[in-house]
């Protein structure tokens, strides 16, 4: 589970075929994915239900070494953080909008041996994170309203990634910037130019057959955009 300084692709298994989840995930990793993004939805915080700790535990058995990036779109995440950590999560992100005691929740994630991260919805401003940016491993900027894969990219998210990169520089912080939602060949250069380093992609990777090939092309486009702005 190496840390990377450059661009990383985090295939979102939400768009995979759950009946062959491990095989699909392996293909995405063969195509250059270095993390697996795991979307957890509770039917309350978002209007959809996906998966829970038992599935993460099974996937962990099938893929012992890959970093699991667990995106919790749930109310009261404190109740489930221990179970996700126990099941094999490495990174756990929680929504700013779902956490009344965000600082406590982020520390709870850390106490369970995982990297803590915070997520903001498209309508949530970056300044709401001012007081936790020094304790998070990464910030996840939603570029769709969470709940479903395959939605249209919301361009306002680009400004938020730029703002986060500037704040990080100004304050000498080290959090990484992740983007989630509508990342595909037509948007990937923009998110990289805006400062995103960890790119979540669901339908663009799993939605059209040849999973490894789609992952590879998306990553190549991202790295080319990064080189072009260097
Ligand atoms: C949406 C999820 C995303 C989703 C992205 O609520 O958080 O991770 O899988 O899917 P695409 O890449 O299809 O927009
Ligand atoms: Zn997600």
């Amino acid at each position: 589970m190496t840390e990377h300084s450059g661009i990383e692709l985090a295939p979102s298994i939400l768009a995979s075929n759950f009946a062959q989840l491990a095989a699909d995930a392996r293909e995405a990793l063969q195509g250059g994915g270095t993390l697996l993004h795991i979307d957890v939805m509770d039917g309350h915080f978002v209007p959809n239900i996906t998966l829970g700790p038992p599935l993460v535990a099974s996937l962990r058995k099938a893929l012992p070494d890959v970093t699991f990036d667990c995106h919790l779109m749930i109310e009261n995440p404190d109740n489930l953080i221990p179970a996700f950590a126990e099941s094999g999560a490495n990174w756990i992100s929680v929504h700013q909008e779902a956490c009344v005691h965000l600082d406590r929740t982020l520390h709870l994630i850390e106490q369970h041996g995982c990297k803590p991260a915070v997520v903001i919805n498209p309508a949530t401003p970056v300044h709401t994170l001012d007081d936790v940016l020094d304790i998070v491993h990464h910030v996840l900027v939603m570029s769709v309203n969470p709940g479903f894969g395959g939605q249209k990219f919301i361009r306002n998210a680009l400004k938020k990634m730029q703002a986060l990169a500037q704040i990080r520089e100004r304050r000498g912080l080290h959090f990484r910037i992740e983007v989630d939602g509508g990342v595909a060949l037509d948007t990937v250069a923009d998110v990289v130019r805006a400062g995103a380093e960890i790119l979540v992609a669901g339908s663009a990777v799993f939605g059209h057959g040849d999973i490894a090939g789609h992952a590879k092309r998306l990553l190549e486009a991202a790295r080319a955009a990064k080189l072009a702005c260097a």
Side-chain angles (χ1 to χ4, degrees), residues 12 14 37 39 41 71 73 142 146-150 180-182 200-203:
S12 166
L14 183 62
H37 184 82
D39 285 309
M41 305 186 188
H71 174 192
M73 287 161 273
M142 291 307 302
F148 304 93
D180 184 5
V200 175
S203 7

Side-chain angles (χ1 to χ4, degrees), residues 67-113:
T67 297
F68 285 176
D69 169 24
C70 290
H71 174 192
L72 303 190
M73 287 161 273
I74 63 177
E75 289 178 358
N76 304 313
D78 293 21
N79 297 342
L80 283 167
I81 284 164
F84 278 104
E86 179 70 19
S87 307
N90 302 101
W91 299 0
I92 296 182
S93 55
V94 290
H95 274 258
Q96 184 273 354
E97 305 85 2
C99 296
V100 178
H101 302 291
L102 180 58
D103 178 272
R104 175 186 287 152
T105 301
L106 293 167
H107 281 106
L108 183 68
I109 295 170
E110 195 163 39
Q111 283 155 16
H112 283 84

Side-chain angles (χ1 to χ4, degrees), residues 3-192:
E3 288 291 326
H4 296 250
S5 52
I7 300 288
E8 283 193 84
L9 178 65
S12 166
I13 61 164
L14 183 62
S16 69
N17 177 348
F18 278 14
Q20 49 182 58
L21 180 50
D24 277 14
R26 276 195 198 95
E27 272 196 61
L29 298 169
Q30 274 157 20
T34 40
L35 308 158
L36 275 190
H37 184 82
I38 300 178
D39 285 309
V40 179
M41 305 186 188
D42 66 353
H44 294 278
F45 180 67
V46 290
N48 197 3
I49 297 179
T50 53
L51 52 92
L55 187 137
V56 176
S58 299
L59 201 56
R60 174 51 80 207
K61 283 193 196 122
L63 299 162
D65 297 323
V66 65
T67 297
F68 285 176
D69 169 24
C70 290
H71 174 192
L72 303 190
M73 287 161 273
I74 63 177
E75 289 178 358
N76 304 313
D78 293 21
N79 297 342
L80 283 167
I81 284 164
F84 278 104
E86 179 70 19
S87 307
N90 302 101
W91 299 0
I92 296 182
S93 55
V94 290
H95 274 258
Q96 184 273 354
E97 305 85 2
C99 296
V100 178
H101 302 291
L102 180 58
D103 178 272
R104 175 186 287 152
T105 301
L106 293 167
H107 281 106
L108 183 68
I109 295 170
E110 195 163 39
Q111 283 155 16
H112 283 84
C114 296
K115 302 281 190 202
V118 66
V119 193
I120 45 173
N121 279 336
T124 304
V126 165
H127 71 76
T128 58
L129 304 182
D130 278 356
D131 294 332
V132 296
L133 290 178
D134 57 338
I135 59 168
V136 292
H137 171 262
H138 61 279
V139 175
L140 173 48
V141 176
M142 291 307 302
S143 41
V144 296
N145 287 295
F148 304 93
Q151 301 182 80
K152 188 174 168 350
F153 182 80
I154 296 173
R155 295 193 64 81
N156 189 50
L158 295 170
K159 281 193 280 187
K160 296 205 262 185
M161 293 171 231
Q162 283 161 355
L164 282 163
Q166 281 163 9
I167 295 167
R168 180 174 61 187
E169 172 86 23
R170 194 172 67 236
R171 292 178 53 188
L173 298 175
H174 302 287
F175 61 85
R176 298 172 75 196
I177 302 171
E178 182 174 32
V179 59
D180 184 5
V183 175
L185 280 177
D186 59 343
T187 53
V188 74
D190 286 342
V191 301
V192 168

